[in-house]
Amino acid sequence: MNKFYKVVRFFCMVFSVLWLSFSANAAVEVGKPAPDFQLVNEKGQAVSLSGLKGKFVILEWTNHECPFVKKHYGAKNMQTLQNKYTKEGVVWLSIISSAPGKQGFVSADEAKALSETRSATPSHILFDPKGEVGRMYDAKTTPHMYIIDKEGVLQYNGGIDSIPSANPADIGKAENYLDSAFAELKAGKSVSKSLTRPYGCSVKYAK
Amino acid sequence: MQSILFQRGLRIAQSIRYRALRSFQSILSAYLMLMVCSLELQAAQYASQPHVDIELVHGNDSLKAGTSLDIGILFKLEEGWHIYWQNPGDTGLAPTINWQLPQGFEASDIQWPTPSIFPVAHLVNFGYEHEVLLSAKLRVPDDFSDAHAINIVADLSWLVCKEACIPGQATLNLELPSVKTTSQGQTTTKMALFDDRRLPRAMEVIGGQAEVTEGDLNLELYAPQLIFKDAERVEVFVKNLDLVKYAPAKKIEWNNNRLFWRQARSEFFMKKPDQLDFVVVIDKAKAYDFSMPIE
């Protein structure tokens, strides 16, 4: 085989290997293992997803200034969910992927103060200012919710509930997708509404 | 003596000034109340909210039994702020209009003008900036008597965004004049807005197919006219929610009357729809509305 074809074949191999590895890092998929990550929490401690195996984990993308986040926190809906699930042993991670200078970006002290004033009880608040974990999970909105089971498999990806609006009066009328999913997971069933369109403000990623 | 007179004079002057001031105050408050009352009547047709002014407007000048009349909500947006198209894209919320109409009247769905693209980091939204008229056709019942004017009410909600987003809500009302009653002073400028609307032109499809595979939507379209000939820029806006991603398409090519467009399936794809509804925009100037069944 002449040299030219050998070179071409080499580059094809390199390209396809790169292509495959790139696809492997493509967006999360319900039913597949949730990608591992490690972020620092409000106490300065490193928290990794793989370290939480054996527990259910809820990911909540948040931005305290977004009107859709305010809808759920203002009506105490998010706090009720956090209390309920953390009491059951679920690990609740509130993740902030706002870039520095953008809406929702807060320091650890500001985040702690917000939890105080809002009576929020996530297990950890995680800071993702570069947006790497957000992009890994393709988090689009605040709020955007994910449920990971005890084996580390993604079981839910989507909105917090069924009525996309900024109106707190809609909370009581909507189907809460976390509650629906957990009811099924606890009964050993698969989640019927495992993928829904999330609604909210766009995550304020770094460009 | 002089000082006493002076002081009395001063006191009289003060009391006159005091009384004048009091009557001036009552006149002023009466005037203000009148202004507020009339403002309230006017404000029902028009509202000013953070970053957006909205107004309920109508097209033709009179109501006639068995005909249609243009009605709409005019949004005037602060520079840098936008509202959303019927498919807002990755994030955002489309505006909604709930019409409250008299018996027998019906409003069509919103006729959405051609949208623009608003990228936010790697996310993509579709919507409108500066000014947009969301219009509908109001069907007047066949047995409408023409004898009286008609009041319509619009309950609106929207999301207006720049970097941050502000949800908005308003209720507007408008009296539509019939043949017998005089126009409510709707200026010709407002009616001309309906002529200026950038509505995509409905066009049939003479060939091609829309196909959903495991990863993509493949769209091949043959139009009845050479709309793609010499086009420099073609954009496709899919109306169906949760069907495709909104980042730049995987592949696009066009010539003469043919367009091929491949886009990745949405992360939130759940069920294949029966029909693909989409808008094609050529050189940011001409827009066409198409529908095709999905294989």
Side-chain angles (χ1 to χ4, degrees), chain B residues 193-208:
Chain B
L193 286 171
F194 288 90
D195 299 326
D196 288 344
R197 273 172 307 174
R198 296 163 294 122
L199 289 179
R201 194 181 120 200
M203 186 171 269
E204 54 161 340
V205 170
I206 61 167

Side-chain angles (χ1 to χ4, degrees), chain B residues 145-262:
Chain B
S145 73
D146 277 15
H148 50 283
I150 284 293
N151 212 340
I152 62 170
V153 175
D155 276 325
L156 319 173
S157 78
W158 65 86
L159 187 67
V160 62
C161 302
K162 191 175 178 180
E163 268 262 338
C165 286
I166 319 275
Q169 252 182 296
T171 300
L172 304 179
N173 70 34
L174 180 65
E175 198 176 270
L176 300 174
S178 71
V179 174
K180 300 235 169 99
T181 66
T182 53
S183 167
Q184 211 196 353
Q186 180 95 116
T187 63
T188 43
T189 338
K190 293 276 148 59
M191 289 191 264
L193 286 171
F194 288 90
D195 299 326
D196 288 344
R197 273 172 307 174
R198 296 163 294 122
L199 289 179
R201 194 181 120 200
M203 186 171 269
E204 54 161 340
V205 170
I206 61 167
Q209 71 164 21
E211 170 197 32
V212 170
T213 65
E214 203 175 290
D216 301 325
L217 168 74
N218 291 315
L219 167 64
E220 187 181 36
L221 160 70
Y222 288 92
Q225 293 170 23
L226 302 173
I227 57 176
F228 301 108
K229 186 172 160 64
D230 300 328
E232 284 183 10
R233 185 194 170 112
V234 175
E235 292 161 320
V236 178
F237 295 84
V238 170
K239 296 183 193 177
N240 307 65
L241 300 177
D242 307 328
L243 178 57
V244 292
K245 292 197 198 217
Y246 303 118
K250 279 180 162 180
K251 181 175 178 176
I252 184 168
E253 57 186 30
W254 64 84
N255 70 313
N256 294 333
N257 70 330
R258 177 184 178 267
L259 170 71
F260 179 79
W261 190 74
R262 171 178 294 142

Side-chain angles (χ1 to χ4, degrees), chain B residues 80 103 125 131 224 273 275:
Chain B
Q103 188 78 9
N125 291 125
E131 192 174 292
Q275 181 170 289

Side-chain angles (χ1 to χ4, degrees), chain B residues 11-64:
Chain B
R11 253 179 255 136
I12 291 168
Q14 280 175 341
S15 76
I16 292 171
R17 209 176 68 184
Y18 178 68
R19 276 191 225 127
L21 187 64
R22 284 293 298 267
S23 15
F24 173 70
Q25 277 177 342
S26 38
I27 292 170
L28 180 66
S29 42
Y31 175 71
L32 283 173
M33 271 185 59
L34 212 68
M35 282 295 289
V36 167
C37 288
S38 59
L39 264 178
E40 269 182 40
L41 287 171
Q42 288 169 17
Q45 189 186 331
Y46 166 87
S48 192
Q49 295 246 354
H51 313 290
V52 60
D53 290 339
I54 43 174
E55 188 176 353
L56 179 47
V57 293
H58 69 82
N60 312 3
D61 205 11
S62 64
L63 294 163
K64 273 186 221 129

